[in-house]
Amino acid sequence: LAQLAELPALRRLHLVGIAAIGDGEVDVLRRFPRLEMVDVQLTSLTPSGIDALRAERPELQVVHPRAQH
């Protein structure tokens, strides 16, 4: 995931079903400069992790059953 953060034009990221994506990856997701949407359905990201990501990147669309838009 950290290597993908080096792609400055990346706007959409689908991480569906990757259990290794959890709250520890929030810091990496924050570093994607142009990311507009991240789909984290069926990952290990918790509501606290989603809240932390949204606090840092309020414009980011987070697709997850627990994410409020």
Side-chain angles (χ1 to χ4, degrees):
L1 187 60
Q3 293 170 339
L4 292 177
E6 298 173 16
L7 301 172
L10 190 64
R11 296 202 169 152
R12 300 174 68 81
L13 186 58
H14 297 270
L15 301 170
V16 178
I18 302 175
I21 300 298
D23 293 350
E25 283 63 50
V26 168
D27 287 335
V28 176
L29 290 170
R30 291 177 180 162
R31 294 190 298 221
F32 288 78
R34 293 194 177 150
L35 192 62
E36 298 170 356
M37 187 280 299
V38 61
D39 189 339
V40 290
Q41 296 181 81
L42 303 173
T43 65
S44 298
L45 200 62
T46 68
S48 295
I50 292 169
D51 290 346
L53 183 56
R54 289 217 143 140
E56 183 71 24
R57 297 282 309 277
E59 77 288 354
L60 181 63
Q61 178 187 4
V62 179
V63 180
H64 189 279
R66 296 181 218 152
Q68 300 295 321
H69 295 282

